[in-house]
Amino acid sequence: MKVAVLAVDGVFDSGISAVLDVLHTAHALRRRVAGTPPPAFDIRTVGVRRRVRTGLGHRIDTEPVAVAEDADLLVVPALMERRPELLVETVASAAYRPVRRILADSRGRDTPLATACTGTFLLAEAGVLDGLRATTSWWLAPLFRERYRGVTVEETRMVVRSGGVTTAGAAFGHLDLALSVVGARSPALADLVRRYLIVDDRASQAAYAIPSALAHHDPLVAAFEQWARARLADPAPIADAARDLGVSERTLQRAVARTLGRTPVGLVQDLRVEQAEHLLRTTELPLAAVARRVGYESPGPLRALLRRRRGEP
């Protein structure tokens, strides 16, 4: 399997390293898999220039991007841009026009693509995610959803495959991304690599998300988040929230859906689960008592929400 890893100026150091480490480890361990060994990995680091600088200033030597034209997969590690207000400006800039063209051309050749974290913005800006499902860093999801209306965002997922494109979550989601690439060829090899590198199986980003950080993307959603947080132990009907905030219930529902991709009730559930997890970590309260403190009469519904947040069946 020929995998081309596209290194661009400003690439996230640990992102590209994680991808290369996992793929090279898979290649080295493939003969330890019982039975017929999985196919070898031919891993190439390519770029628009022969030498690029990472986000931390390290230099990476690359092969010409033409090497990727017959690749079985093109992986695009994230950019090291942590400021949301500059991320879109960066991926849309003239400096990254050659990269966007490479992505569009690769998509035109039906080359499978893979990326993680802020790299999803680069793919979306190139138009290759239109009509597809994708994930990204949970804390960037509101911005992504707002700018790229043609992409269905599933930010609670760690890895999403859709239409020949694989996307993964926040920065260290590069590990999950690379392991999914290996697992597509050999689940047994992916499991072996996971054990050697000590990487947990993480199906969901939901356990890491901070609801207040997401809500603050929109003033009305932020106000609703504060309103709901103050009433976690109460039924707190959404109609009451809308009235207290001076908007219609429909306006509130639209704002939450536009920003977070969920309903107001879904946000309240997230807040309750977040508080429940805090209480379970920091107190000796039994689950039933914690459930009552966050608005549930019995622990059953809370237990189900906790499992879902952790990505458990």
Side-chain angles (χ1 to χ4, degrees):
M1 180 181 184
K2 183 175 181 180
V3 181
V5 179
L6 181 61
V8 300
D9 282 324
V11 67
F12 194 72
D13 292 64
S14 63
I16 190 168
S17 296
V19 169
L20 292 172
D21 283 344
V22 168
L23 294 178
H24 281 284
T25 300
H27 179 75
L29 295 178
R30 67 188 187 88
R31 295 190 182 280
R32 299 190 186 185
V33 175
T36 303
F41 286 87
D42 178 8
I43 307 150
R44 309 291 186 89
T45 303
V46 303
V48 294
R49 289 196 295 274
R50 294 306 300 270
R51 177 172 288 177
V52 301
R53 283 192 176 274
T54 69
L56 293 179
H58 296 107
R59 292 179 297 183
I60 298 177
D61 293 329
T62 68
E63 297 183 65
V65 75
V67 169
E69 291 182 0
D70 65 343
D72 299 301
L73 175 70
L74 176 63
V75 182
V76 186
L79 301 177
M80 184 176 279
E81 179 51 75
R82 299 184 180 90
R83 296 162 294 181
E85 66 276 11
L86 293 182
L87 177 56
V88 170
E89 180 181 327
T90 299
V91 298
S93 67
Y96 285 90
R97 186 178 296 122
V99 179
R100 297 195 300 272
R101 187 178 305 116
I102 290 167
L103 296 175
D105 290 347
S106 297
R107 184 67 174 163
R109 292 192 298 270
D110 291 328
T111 301
L113 303 174
T115 191
C117 192
T118 57
T120 56
F121 282 75
L122 198 49
L123 266 64
E125 196 67 30
V128 302
L129 291 180
D130 290 348
L132 302 181
R133 295 176 296 106
T135 189
T136 188
S137 296
W138 64 263
W139 55 278
L140 288 170
L143 175 62
F144 190 100
R145 184 176 284 110
E146 179 180 70
R147 181 167 178 84
Y148 306 113
R149 302 283 177 88
V151 185
T152 300
V153 186
E154 299 181 359
E155 73 270 23
T156 61
R157 300 274 300 279
M158 189 66 78
V159 177
V160 171
R161 296 184 183 88
S162 179
V165 181
T166 304
T167 53
F172 287 99
H174 286 86
L175 287 169
D176 305 87
L177 179 72
L179 284 164
S180 75
V181 169
V182 176
R185 285 299 177 100
S186 171
L189 179 57
D191 185 60
L192 187 62
V193 172
R194 194 183 295 278
R195 288 172 177 271
Y196 267 82
L197 299 182
I198 313 181
V199 181
D200 292 333
D201 189 4
R202 304 170 298 180
S204 175
Q205 293 188 83
Y208 305 94
I210 304 171
S212 59
L214 295 170
H216 286 174
H217 188 76
D218 181 276
L220 176 56
V221 179
F224 171 63
E225 182 262 338
Q226 291 297 316
W227 185 95
R229 193 178 287 279
R231 297 165 176 79
L232 289 183
D234 304 325
I238 303 305
D240 290 353
R243 184 191 63 244
D244 291 350
L245 296 173
V247 298
S248 70
E249 189 173 350
R250 186 176 181 84
T251 296
L252 179 59
Q253 290 172 340
R254 285 178 172 175
V256 175
R258 181 179 62 248
T259 304
L260 305 179
R262 56 172 65 88
T263 64
V265 171
L267 176 55
V268 172
Q269 288 178 338
D270 289 346
L271 295 173
R272 286 173 169 167
V273 170
E274 180 189 54
Q275 179 64 10
E277 288 185 325
H278 172 72
L279 291 173
L280 290 170
R281 285 196 309 269
T282 60
T283 74
E284 296 182 358
L285 290 171
L287 184 62
V290 169
R292 288 192 294 273
R293 287 199 179 192
V294 296
Y296 296 103
E297 293 183 0
S298 65
L302 177 59
R303 186 180 292 111
L305 288 171
L306 288 169
R307 284 201 301 265
R308 189 173 69 186
R309 181 175 170 88
R310 295 165 183 163
E312 298 173 358

